[in-house]
Amino acid sequence: MKRYIAFVLSFATLLGSCSDFLEEANKTQYSVDYIYGSTEGLKLAVTALYALQRTYAGDNNGSESPTMWALERGTDIVTTCGGTGNFYGIYDPNYLKPSAAQVGHMWKIMYQIIGRCNEIIDAGSRLDDSDDLRTALAEAKCFRAQSYFLLYRTYDRIWLNTQPVTAENVNKARTYRPATADEVFRLLYDDLDYAIAQLDWTADPGRFNKAAACHILAKVALWKKDWKTALDMVDRIDTESPYELLPNTADVFNAADLNHREALLTQQWSENPGGNFSTATPKGHQFALLFIAQYRTVLGGTDEESCSEENWGYTYGRLLTNPYLLSLYDAEKDTRYNDWYIHRYRNTRNVDVKYNDVIVHPGEYLPAHTGGSGDPRYTLPGCTKWGDIWTRKASDKRGYKDFIVYRLADTYIAGAEAAMRLGDQTKARYYYNKTWMRAGNDEFTGTVTLKHIIDEEARELAFENDRWYFLKRLGILIDQVKNYAGNPVYPASLKGRTNLPANPHFIRWPIPEAEIINMGAENFPQNVGY
């Protein structure tokens, strides 16, 4: 898929809502009538949704602060450092407000995707039935469910709309009101049930399939406290699908192409047309920069001199590990401790460097920060899940490594929780041991508790963009942040421990300021506290 998505697809899809007003002659086969008037055209429109989703992921909104990772900063397992988005990690009330760029960006892009999905689904209702049509509609429904699920978990109060914009209704007044939770879950279940019924277990790399749809529904069901549906979806993936955990944790993220049998859905990135988020000069994402310390500042010199593949290349070091996260691993036994983290950075230059009053000779490791004059952000352990030494030179700031959107390990942890909630300890242990034993730990034979799930979720899924939502769903976000967020050696990272309890409304984002103005505060009031 990453090799053949053309820019014209995104362009044609973006024309959808206003196309009926245009009288210009079309010089290609990709007219609006073709896109929305044929099954082949709808398939192209669906493909364009993947490019739009990649645009959201590749966003660098706010300089070194992509919206996708804003909430990841504010969890219990992260030391958030610097950058313009640092306020999300420390819950700074001066910046976490309705006018914040990330707040508006998520809302805007998700509703753009939803709008395109509405147009595709509506157009499909007027076409002759076929397997290809049902597959296209299933993918569109997956996108719509995924987008609404993200919005609901982030903002709590959202506008629910399934009607496309047409020439007939574009000027008609719309009714804006927050949807009820029942209305949101009803749409999510309906969309995902349809997708599950229509999609195959596998699809072309990067495209929605039955396993991804089942996984999303399992996660939705956990939010609804529908433990049975959550467990049923996990059981289906475990018993019916071809997916399985890779034998070794070292292999899960250790390549540019992550379309392996543990990945239920992988977002495709490439320098080829349509494989990145720029329609001009190819531009990759910056995820490889965010999770590894800025060791290069200590080493000095030019980027070419300071950056090395051994230390995972050029870095910003915006979201680093903290002592609480690392304490959850058995460092001697759990393979994830070394496979997914870099704990020390080597002086790869041919000159002595000084850090924290210690002279570090070529080939030696920089000392861990325990106090003194050195900036701790430069040597704190980092996460290598997003590290990229395959698609970029060591000194490059952008890369094209794929990233896993949904993977089987997350499915199994969801299954362990659902089974535990239902009192089925046999199945809870079965799913818990999937990730626990894969990492080299001895089989767990005791009683699986919620504490086990909370800790294993951190060990297995740290820095995979779900922790904030996981803690929020369990109702423990404030307590976990208060007790564990940040790192004492970097006092600036500890502010969230006091700011979040003092501002409990931060467990949800504000509705974007511009959207409140558009919808009318009398119809759609701002979230309480903002």
Side-chain angles (χ1 to χ4, degrees):
M1 179 178 174
K2 68 177 73 177
R3 293 182 175 87
Y4 61 75
I5 302 174
F7 292 133
V8 68
L9 305 182
S10 292
F11 182 68
T13 302
L14 292 173
L15 283 177
S17 63
C18 62
S19 59
D20 292 322
F21 305 104
L22 302 180
E23 299 292 339
E24 300 170 355
N26 182 63
K27 298 183 183 300
T28 76
Q29 64 171 312
Y30 301 118
S31 66
V32 172
D33 287 342
Y34 175 77
I35 293 293
Y36 292 108
S38 69
T39 295
E40 289 302 312
L42 284 189
K43 288 167 64 177
L44 293 177
V46 169
T47 298
L49 292 174
Y50 292 94
L52 186 55
Q53 186 73 48
R54 189 163 40 245
T55 298
Y56 171 74
D59 152 59
N60 197 32
N61 204 329
S63 177
E64 304 171 11
S65 180
T67 300
M68 182 173 167
W69 299 107
L71 288 167
E72 187 76 1
R73 291 171 175 261
T75 69
D76 56 341
I77 58 177
V78 172
T79 301
T80 184
C81 303
T84 57
N86 189 53
F87 60 86
Y88 285 102
I90 61 175
Y91 294 96
D92 187 338
N94 294 309
Y95 296 97
L96 211 172
K97 53 189 179 182
S99 60
Q102 291 79 11
V103 168
H105 187 75
M106 181 191 290
W107 185 283
K108 175 183 176 182
I109 296 295
M110 290 305 110
Y111 275 107
Q112 283 183 0
I113 292 173
I114 290 164
R116 304 298 171 252
C117 293
N118 291 342
E119 293 168 4
I120 292 167
I121 294 166
D122 178 71
S125 69
R126 295 188 295 274
L127 298 179
D128 293 337
D129 184 43
S130 68
D131 290 342
D132 281 352
L133 176 63
R134 290 194 297 270
T135 297
L137 296 180
E139 289 182 82
K141 286 175 180 281
C142 281
F143 269 111
R144 186 166 69 178
Q146 177 180 257
S147 300
Y148 269 132
F149 189 38
L150 176 62
L151 291 169
Y152 177 76
R153 290 179 296 159
T154 305
Y155 300 92
D156 286 3
R157 297 163 61 254
I158 61 175
W159 179 51
L160 204 62
N161 174 53
T162 59
Q163 298 301 311
V165 176
T166 66
E168 290 73 28
N169 68 22
V170 67
N171 292 318
K172 291 183 179 180
R174 289 180 175 260
T175 301
Y176 295 105
R177 65 169 180 82
T180 66
D182 285 344
E183 289 171 330
V184 173
F185 283 117
R186 189 179 307 120
L187 177 64
L188 297 180
Y189 272 59
D190 286 349
D191 277 355
L192 293 168
D193 282 343
Y194 180 91
I196 291 167
Q198 303 302 328
L199 295 173
D200 294 329
W201 283 113
T202 60
D204 289 339
R207 302 198 80 112
F208 277 107
N209 53 56
K210 188 191 297 288
C214 286
H215 175 87
I216 300 171
L217 184 53
K219 302 286 277 191
V220 168
L222 290 179
W223 274 81
K224 195 174 183 290
K225 296 183 171 56
D226 179 3
W227 316 122
K228 183 180 184 305
T229 295
L231 187 57
D232 286 347
M233 291 299 104
V234 176
D235 285 344
R236 288 197 66 181
I237 296 173
D238 183 55
T239 60
E240 299 176 30
S241 83
Y243 296 95
E244 59 184 351
L245 297 184
L246 298 185
N248 303 309
T249 56
D251 297 330
V252 178
F253 303 98
N254 197 34
D257 183 342
L258 297 179
N259 296 293
H260 51 63
R261 62 183 180 272
E262 184 171 331
L264 307 183
L265 181 67
T266 303
Q267 189 171 100
Q268 310 294 287
W269 283 80
S270 168
E271 289 186 84
N272 293 313
N276 54 88
F277 78 102
S278 173
T279 57
T281 303
K283 186 182 293 185
H285 60 71
Q286 294 185 303
F287 296 167
L289 283 63
L290 301 177
F291 304 94
I292 298 171
Q294 200 171 317
Y295 70 91
R296 58 189 174 81
T297 301
V298 178
L299 299 187
T302 65
D303 292 342
E304 287 74 15
E305 292 170 330
S306 63
C307 298
S308 66
E309 289 189 357
E310 180 178 353
N311 292 332
W312 290 93
Y314 192 97
T315 56
Y316 286 149
R318 298 310 187 212
L319 298 85
L320 304 176
T321 66
N322 71 358
Y324 171 62
L325 171 61
L326 296 179
S327 73
L328 297 175
Y329 298 94
D330 181 334
E332 300 300 319
K333 183 178 293 186
D334 197 310
T335 59
R336 295 172 292 196
Y337 185 80
N338 288 310
D339 286 344
W340 294 348
Y341 301 97
I342 179 170
H343 297 274
R344 299 188 301 169
Y345 304 89
R346 191 191 296 271
N347 178 10
T348 55
R349 295 193 63 196
N350 292 321
V351 297
D352 291 344
V353 298
K354 186 177 182 180
Y355 175 72
N356 212 10
D357 301 323
V358 175
I359 300 298
V360 183
H361 303 297
E364 295 179 345
Y365 287 101
L366 301 177
H369 185 87
T370 56
S373 60
D375 192 319
R377 294 175 296 173
Y378 299 157
T379 58
L380 292 179
C383 179
T384 59
K385 289 180 178 180
W386 305 96
D388 183 7
I389 56 175
W390 298 277
T391 74
R392 63 179 192 140
K393 297 182 298 185
S395 59
D396 285 347
K397 297 178 179 63
R398 294 182 179 273
Y400 301 90
K401 178 181 177 178
D402 296 342
F403 73 82
I404 300 173
V405 181
Y406 307 118
R407 67 183 178 100
L408 188 58
D410 187 11
T411 311
Y412 284 149
I413 292 172
E417 180 185 348
M420 181 270 296
R421 301 278 193 182
L422 291 168
D424 187 343
Q425 279 293 318
T426 298
K427 188 163 284 186
R429 283 189 293 271
Y430 169 75
Y431 283 129
Y432 179 83
N433 276 315
K434 288 284 192 177
T435 56
W436 176 251
M437 293 180 66
R438 192 264 295 266
N441 298 294
D442 296 332
E443 180 180 5
F444 179 77
T445 58
T447 300
V448 177
T449 67
L450 186 58
K451 180 66 164 60
H452 288 107
I453 303 298
I454 293 168
D455 290 351
E456 183 64 5
E457 200 273 351
R459 284 186 291 260
E460 181 68 28
L461 302 173
F463 300 99
E464 293 185 49
N465 211 25
D466 194 58
R467 184 68 173 180
W468 192 88
Y469 296 109
F470 175 78
L471 297 177
K472 175 179 175 175
R473 175 172 64 80
L474 297 181
I476 60 174
L477 176 63
I478 293 176
D479 286 343
Q480 287 290 112
V481 169
K482 178 181 177 180
N483 292 329
Y484 304 115
N487 192 324
V489 303
Y490 182 49
S493 70
L494 301 177
K495 295 179 181 178
R497 295 188 181 188
T498 53
N499 283 341
L500 179 55
N503 300 277
H505 58 284
F506 285 165
I507 64 168
R508 65 189 62 84
W509 270 9
I511 309 302
E513 186 174 66
E515 302 302 330
I516 293 291
I517 294 172
N518 290 336
M519 293 186 289
E522 70 280 5
N523 303 313
F524 209 107
Q526 181 57 265
N527 280 336
V528 175
Y530 290 100

mmCIF file with all atom_site columns, all heavy atoms in Angstrom, residues 66 75 83 100 103 116 129 164 169 218 230 248 270 280-281 302 307 362 460 476:
data_model
loop_
_atom_site.group_PDB
_atom_site.id
_atom_site.type_symbol
_atom_site.label_atom_id
_atom_site.label_alt_id
_atom_site.label_comp_id
_atom_site.label_asym_id
_atom_site.label_entity_id
_atom_site.label_seq_id
_atom_site.pdbx_PDB_ins_code
_atom_site.Cartn_x
_atom_site.Cartn_y
_atom_site.Cartn_z
_atom_site.occupancy
_atom_site.B_iso_or_equiv
_atom_site.pdbx_formal_charge
_atom_site.auth_seq_id
_atom_site.auth_comp_id
_atom_site.auth_asym_id
_atom_site.auth_atom_id
_atom_site.pdbx_PDB_model_num
ATOM 1   N N   . PRO A 1 66  ? 4.099   16.844  18.419 1.00 0.00 ? 66  PRO A N   1
ATOM 2   C CA  . PRO A 1 66  ? 3.003   16.297  17.622 1.00 0.00 ? 66  PRO A CA  1
ATOM 3   C C   . PRO A 1 66  ? 1.795   15.976  18.492 1.00 0.00 ? 66  PRO A C   1
ATOM 4   O O   . PRO A 1 66  ? 1.921   15.446  19.589 1.00 0.00 ? 66  PRO A O   1
ATOM 5   C CB  . PRO A 1 66  ? 3.608   15.045  16.991 1.00 0.00 ? 66  PRO A CB  1
ATOM 6   C CG  . PRO A 1 66  ? 4.808   14.712  17.809 1.00 0.00 ? 66  PRO A CG  1
ATOM 7   C CD  . PRO A 1 66  ? 5.310   16.008  18.337 1.00 0.00 ? 66  PRO A CD  1
ATOM 8   N N   . THR A 1 75  ? 1.391   10.993  31.700 1.00 0.00 ? 75  THR A N   1
ATOM 9   C CA  . THR A 1 75  ? 1.081   9.739   32.377 1.00 0.00 ? 75  THR A CA  1
ATOM 10  C C   . THR A 1 75  ? 2.021   9.502   33.540 1.00 0.00 ? 75  THR A C   1
ATOM 11  O O   . THR A 1 75  ? 2.931   10.293  33.820 1.00 0.00 ? 75  THR A O   1
ATOM 12  C CB  . THR A 1 75  ? 1.160   8.554   31.404 1.00 0.00 ? 75  THR A CB  1
ATOM 13  O OG1 . THR A 1 75  ? 2.527   8.334   31.036 1.00 0.00 ? 75  THR A OG1 1
ATOM 14  C CG2 . THR A 1 75  ? 0.337   8.806   30.152 1.00 0.00 ? 75  THR A CG2 1
ATOM 15  N N   . GLY A 1 83  ? 10.467  21.313  25.148 1.00 0.00 ? 83  GLY A N   1
ATOM 16  C CA  . GLY A 1 83  ? 9.619   21.412  23.979 1.00 0.00 ? 83  GLY A CA  1
ATOM 17  C C   . GLY A 1 83  ? 8.376   22.225  24.258 1.00 0.00 ? 83  GLY A C   1
ATOM 18  O O   . GLY A 1 83  ? 7.963   22.408  25.403 1.00 0.00 ? 83  GLY A O   1
ATOM 19  N N   . ALA A 1 100 ? -5.313  25.970  22.664 1.00 0.00 ? 100 ALA A N   1
ATOM 20  C CA  . ALA A 1 100 ? -4.079  25.238  22.403 1.00 0.00 ? 100 ALA A CA  1
ATOM 21  C C   . ALA A 1 100 ? -4.127  24.564  21.031 1.00 0.00 ? 100 ALA A C   1
ATOM 22  O O   . ALA A 1 100 ? -5.152  24.020  20.630 1.00 0.00 ? 100 ALA A O   1
ATOM 23  C CB  . ALA A 1 100 ? -3.835  24.197  23.497 1.00 0.00 ? 100 ALA A CB  1
ATOM 24  N N   . VAL A 1 103 ? -5.184  20.821  20.875 1.00 0.00 ? 103 VAL A N   1
ATOM 25  C CA  . VAL A 1 103 ? -6.601  20.631  21.174 1.00 0.00 ? 103 VAL A CA  1
ATOM 26  C C   . VAL A 1 103 ? -7.437  20.797  19.904 1.00 0.00 ? 103 VAL A C   1
ATOM 27  O O   . VAL A 1 103 ? -8.327  19.995  19.615 1.00 0.00 ? 103 VAL A O   1
ATOM 28  C CB  . VAL A 1 103 ? -7.054  21.623  22.265 1.00 0.00 ? 103 VAL A CB  1
ATOM 29  C CG1 . VAL A 1 103 ? -8.573  21.658  22.381 1.00 0.00 ? 103 VAL A CG1 1
ATOM 30  C CG2 . VAL A 1 103 ? -6.433  21.249  23.614 1.00 0.00 ? 103 VAL A CG2 1
ATOM 31  N N   . ARG A 1 116 ? -15.439 12.566  5.658  1.00 0.00 ? 116 ARG A N   1
ATOM 32  C CA  . ARG A 1 116 ? -15.173 11.771  4.454  1.00 0.00 ? 116 ARG A CA  1
ATOM 33  C C   . ARG A 1 116 ? -15.846 10.402  4.565  1.00 0.00 ? 116 ARG A C   1
ATOM 34  O O   . ARG A 1 116 ? -16.388 9.884   3.591  1.00 0.00 ? 116 ARG A O   1
ATOM 35  C CB  . ARG A 1 116 ? -13.671 11.601  4.235  1.00 0.00 ? 116 ARG A CB  1
ATOM 36  C CG  . ARG A 1 116 ? -12.892 12.911  4.145  1.00 0.00 ? 116 ARG A CG  1
ATOM 37  C CD  . ARG A 1 116 ? -13.337 13.768  2.970  1.00 0.00 ? 116 ARG A CD  1
ATOM 38  N NE  . ARG A 1 116 ? -12.722 15.077  3.049  1.00 0.00 ? 116 ARG A NE  1
ATOM 39  C CZ  . ARG A 1 116 ? -13.361 16.192  3.363  1.00 0.00 ? 116 ARG A CZ  1
ATOM 40  N NH1 . ARG A 1 116 ? -14.660 16.162  3.622  1.00 0.00 ? 116 ARG A NH1 1
ATOM 41  N NH2 . ARG A 1 116 ? -12.729 17.341  3.418  1.00 0.00 ? 116 ARG A NH2 1
ATOM 42  N N   . ASP A 1 129 ? -24.764 -3.716  -4.753 1.00 0.00 ? 129 ASP A N   1
ATOM 43  C CA  . ASP A 1 129 ? -24.036 -4.483  -3.747 1.00 0.00 ? 129 ASP A CA  1
ATOM 44  C C   . ASP A 1 129 ? -22.962 -5.360  -4.390 1.00 0.00 ? 129 ASP A C   1
ATOM 45  O O   . ASP A 1 129 ? -23.150 -5.908  -5.478 1.00 0.00 ? 129 ASP A O   1
ATOM 46  C CB  . ASP A 1 129 ? -25.016 -5.358  -2.960 1.00 0.00 ? 129 ASP A CB  1
ATOM 47  C CG  . ASP A 1 129 ? -24.332 -6.104  -1.821 1.00 0.00 ? 129 ASP A CG  1
ATOM 48  O OD1 . ASP A 1 129 ? -23.518 -5.486  -1.125 1.00 0.00 ? 129 ASP A OD1 1
ATOM 49  O OD2 . ASP A 1 129 ? -24.613 -7.313  -1.659 1.00 0.00 ? 129 ASP A OD2 1
ATOM 50  N N   . PRO A 1 164 ? -23.682 13.156  5.514  1.00 0.00 ? 164 PRO A N   1
ATOM 51  C CA  . PRO A 1 164 ? -22.687 13.814  4.662  1.00 0.00 ? 164 PRO A CA  1
ATOM 52  C C   . PRO A 1 164 ? -23.092 15.246  4.345  1.00 0.00 ? 164 PRO A C   1
ATOM 53  O O   . PRO A 1 164 ? -24.272 15.600  4.416  1.00 0.00 ? 164 PRO A O   1
ATOM 54  C CB  . PRO A 1 164 ? -22.700 12.960  3.394  1.00 0.00 ? 164 PRO A CB  1
ATOM 55  C CG  . PRO A 1 164 ? -24.120 12.468  3.319  1.00 0.00 ? 164 PRO A CG  1
ATOM 56  C CD  . PRO A 1 164 ? -24.530 12.214  4.746  1.00 0.00 ? 164 PRO A CD  1
ATOM 57  N N   . ASN A 1 169 ? -27.829 20.225  1.527  1.00 0.00 ? 169 ASN A N   1
ATOM 58  C CA  . ASN A 1 169 ? -27.922 20.536  2.955  1.00 0.00 ? 169 ASN A CA  1
ATOM 59  C C   . ASN A 1 169 ? -26.829 21.452  3.485  1.00 0.00 ? 169 ASN A C   1
ATOM 60  O O   . ASN A 1 169 ? -26.804 21.763  4.671  1.00 0.00 ? 169 ASN A O   1
ATOM 61  C CB  . ASN A 1 169 ? -27.960 19.252  3.791  1.00 0.00 ? 169 ASN A CB  1
ATOM 62  C CG  . ASN A 1 169 ? -26.637 18.477  3.742  1.00 0.00 ? 169 ASN A CG  1
ATOM 63  O OD1 . ASN A 1 169 ? -25.580 19.012  3.445  1.00 0.00 ? 169 ASN A OD1 1
ATOM 64  N ND2 . ASN A 1 169 ? -26.701 17.187  4.042  1.00 0.00 ? 169 ASN A ND2 1
ATOM 65  N N   . ALA A 1 218 ? -13.145 -4.561  21.180 1.00 0.00 ? 218 ALA A N   1
ATOM 66  C CA  . ALA A 1 218 ? -12.778 -5.017  22.530 1.00 0.00 ? 218 ALA A CA  1
ATOM 67  C C   . ALA A 1 218 ? -12.430 -3.830  23.419 1.00 0.00 ? 218 ALA A C   1
ATOM 68  O O   . ALA A 1 218 ? -12.855 -3.757  24.580 1.00 0.00 ? 218 ALA A O   1
ATOM 69  C CB  . ALA A 1 218 ? -11.614 -5.997  22.458 1.00 0.00 ? 218 ALA A CB  1
ATOM 70  N N   . ALA A 1 230 ? -15.985 -7.638  25.247 1.00 0.00 ? 230 ALA A N   1
ATOM 71  C CA  . ALA A 1 230 ? -14.532 -7.462  25.178 1.00 0.00 ? 230 ALA A CA  1
ATOM 72  C C   . ALA A 1 230 ? -13.834 -8.814  25.125 1.00 0.00 ? 230 ALA A C   1
ATOM 73  O O   . ALA A 1 230 ? -12.955 -9.050  24.277 1.00 0.00 ? 230 ALA A O   1
ATOM 74  C CB  . ALA A 1 230 ? -14.043 -6.647  26.370 1.00 0.00 ? 230 ALA A CB  1
ATOM 75  N N   . ASN A 1 248 ? 10.225  -13.430 20.346 1.00 0.00 ? 248 ASN A N   1
ATOM 76  C CA  . ASN A 1 248 ? 11.186  -12.615 21.089 1.00 0.00 ? 248 ASN A CA  1
ATOM 77  C C   . ASN A 1 248 ? 10.767  -11.154 21.107 1.00 0.00 ? 248 ASN A C   1
ATOM 78  O O   . ASN A 1 248 ? 10.432  -10.579 20.057 1.00 0.00 ? 248 ASN A O   1
ATOM 79  C CB  . ASN A 1 248 ? 12.572  -12.729 20.453 1.00 0.00 ? 248 ASN A CB  1
ATOM 80  C CG  . ASN A 1 248 ? 13.059  -14.158 20.389 1.00 0.00 ? 248 ASN A CG  1
ATOM 81  O OD1 . ASN A 1 248 ? 13.049  -14.880 21.386 1.00 0.00 ? 248 ASN A OD1 1
ATOM 82  N ND2 . ASN A 1 248 ? 13.467  -14.588 19.211 1.00 0.00 ? 248 ASN A ND2 1
ATOM 83  N N   . SER A 1 270 ? 6.636   5.836   3.875  1.00 0.00 ? 270 SER A N   1
ATOM 84  C CA  . SER A 1 270 ? 7.583   5.669   2.780  1.00 0.00 ? 270 SER A CA  1
ATOM 85  C C   . SER A 1 270 ? 7.883   7.024   2.174  1.00 0.00 ? 270 SER A C   1
ATOM 86  O O   . SER A 1 270 ? 7.082   7.956   2.272  1.00 0.00 ? 270 SER A O   1
ATOM 87  C CB  . SER A 1 270 ? 6.999   4.740   1.712  1.00 0.00 ? 270 SER A CB  1
ATOM 88  O OG  . SER A 1 270 ? 7.770   4.765   0.529  1.00 0.00 ? 270 SER A OG  1
ATOM 89  N N   . ALA A 1 280 ? 4.532   17.710  -1.254 1.00 0.00 ? 280 ALA A N   1
ATOM 90  C CA  . ALA A 1 280 ? 5.639   18.344  -1.973 1.00 0.00 ? 280 ALA A CA  1
ATOM 91  C C   . ALA A 1 280 ? 6.888   17.503  -1.726 1.00 0.00 ? 280 ALA A C   1
ATOM 92  O O   . ALA A 1 280 ? 6.971   16.360  -2.145 1.00 0.00 ? 280 ALA A O   1
ATOM 93  C CB  . ALA A 1 280 ? 5.820   19.782  -1.488 1.00 0.00 ? 280 ALA A CB  1
ATOM 94  N N   . THR A 1 281 ? 7.870   18.058  -1.052 1.00 0.00 ? 281 THR A N   1
ATOM 95  C CA  . THR A 1 281 ? 9.065   17.297  -0.707 1.00 0.00 ? 281 THR A CA  1
ATOM 96  C C   . THR A 1 281 ? 8.704   16.213  0.301  1.00 0.00 ? 281 THR A C   1
ATOM 97  O O   . THR A 1 281 ? 8.052   16.501  1.297  1.00 0.00 ? 281 THR A O   1
ATOM 98  C CB  . THR A 1 281 ? 10.133  18.224  -0.095 1.00 0.00 ? 281 THR A CB  1
ATOM 99  O OG1 . THR A 1 281 ? 10.415  19.269  -1.019 1.00 0.00 ? 281 THR A OG1 1
ATOM 100 C CG2 . THR A 1 281 ? 11.398  17.444  0.214  1.00 0.00 ? 281 THR A CG2 1
ATOM 101 N N   . THR A 1 302 ? 29.342  18.755  15.547 1.00 0.00 ? 302 THR A N   1
ATOM 102 C CA  . THR A 1 302 ? 28.244  18.816  14.585 1.00 0.00 ? 302 THR A CA  1
ATOM 103 C C   . THR A 1 302 ? 27.316  17.623  14.792 1.00 0.00 ? 302 THR A C   1
ATOM 104 O O   . THR A 1 302 ? 27.649  16.660  15.492 1.00 0.00 ? 302 THR A O   1
ATOM 105 C CB  . THR A 1 302 ? 28.776  18.789  13.153 1.00 0.00 ? 302 THR A CB  1
ATOM 106 O OG1 . THR A 1 302 ? 29.412  17.514  12.917 1.00 0.00 ? 302 THR A OG1 1
ATOM 107 C CG2 . THR A 1 302 ? 29.799  19.905  12.927 1.00 0.00 ? 302 THR A CG2 1
ATOM 108 N N   . CYS A 1 307 ? 25.959  12.341  16.598 1.00 0.00 ? 307 CYS A N   1
ATOM 109 C CA  . CYS A 1 307 ? 24.892  11.348  16.480 1.00 0.00 ? 307 CYS A CA  1
ATOM 110 C C   . CYS A 1 307 ? 25.438  10.031  15.946 1.00 0.00 ? 307 CYS A C   1
ATOM 111 O O   . CYS A 1 307 ? 26.234  10.012  15.006 1.00 0.00 ? 307 CYS A O   1
ATOM 112 C CB  . CYS A 1 307 ? 23.787  11.855  15.553 1.00 0.00 ? 307 CYS A CB  1
ATOM 113 S SG  . CYS A 1 307 ? 22.973  13.342  16.137 1.00 0.00 ? 307 CYS A SG  1
ATOM 114 N N   . PRO A 1 362 ? 36.676  8.504   24.786 1.00 0.00 ? 362 PRO A N   1
ATOM 115 C CA  . PRO A 1 362 ? 36.052  7.837   23.635 1.00 0.00 ? 362 PRO A CA  1
ATOM 116 C C   . PRO A 1 362 ? 35.766  6.368   23.930 1.00 0.00 ? 362 PRO A C   1
ATOM 117 O O   . PRO A 1 362 ? 36.619  5.650   24.468 1.00 0.00 ? 362 PRO A O   1
ATOM 118 C CB  . PRO A 1 362 ? 37.092  8.002   22.524 1.00 0.00 ? 362 PRO A CB  1
ATOM 119 C CG  . PRO A 1 362 ? 37.811  9.260   22.885 1.00 0.00 ? 362 PRO A CG  1
ATOM 120 C CD  . PRO A 1 362 ? 37.897  9.251   24.386 1.00 0.00 ? 362 PRO A CD  1
ATOM 121 N N   . GLU A 1 460 ? 4.378   -3.692  29.065 1.00 0.00 ? 460 GLU A N   1
ATOM 122 C CA  . GLU A 1 460 ? 4.269   -4.132  27.675 1.00 0.00 ? 460 GLU A CA  1
ATOM 123 C C   . GLU A 1 460 ? 3.997   -2.984  26.708 1.00 0.00 ? 460 GLU A C   1
ATOM 124 O O   . GLU A 1 460 ? 4.522   -2.972  25.598 1.00 0.00 ? 460 GLU A O   1
ATOM 125 C CB  . GLU A 1 460 ? 3.155   -5.174  27.545 1.00 0.00 ? 460 GLU A CB  1
ATOM 126 C CG  . GLU A 1 460 ? 2.963   -5.732  26.143 1.00 0.00 ? 460 GLU A CG  1
ATOM 127 C CD  . GLU A 1 460 ? 4.132   -6.583  25.668 1.00 0.00 ? 460 GLU A CD  1
ATOM 128 O OE1 . GLU A 1 460 ? 4.826   -7.180  26.528 1.00 0.00 ? 460 GLU A OE1 1
ATOM 129 O OE2 . GLU A 1 460 ? 4.346   -6.658  24.441 1.00 0.00 ? 460 GLU A OE2 1
ATOM 130 N N   . ILE A 1 476 ? -8.057  6.166   37.704 1.00 0.00 ? 476 ILE A N   1
ATOM 131 C CA  . ILE A 1 476 ? -6.885  6.297   38.575 1.00 0.00 ? 476 ILE A CA  1
ATOM 132 C C   . ILE A 1 476 ? -5.833  7.234   37.997 1.00 0.00 ? 476 ILE A C   1
ATOM 133 O O   . ILE A 1 476 ? -4.708  7.303   38.503 1.00 0.00 ? 476 ILE A O   1
ATOM 134 C CB  . ILE A 1 476 ? -6.246  4.919   38.854 1.00 0.00 ? 476 ILE A CB  1
ATOM 135 C CG1 . ILE A 1 476 ? -5.784  4.254   37.547 1.00 0.00 ? 476 ILE A CG1 1
ATOM 136 C CG2 . ILE A 1 476 ? -7.219  4.018   39.594 1.00 0.00 ? 476 ILE A CG2 1
ATOM 137 C CD1 . ILE A 1 476 ? -5.021  2.950   37.751 1.00 0.00 ? 476 ILE A CD1 1
#
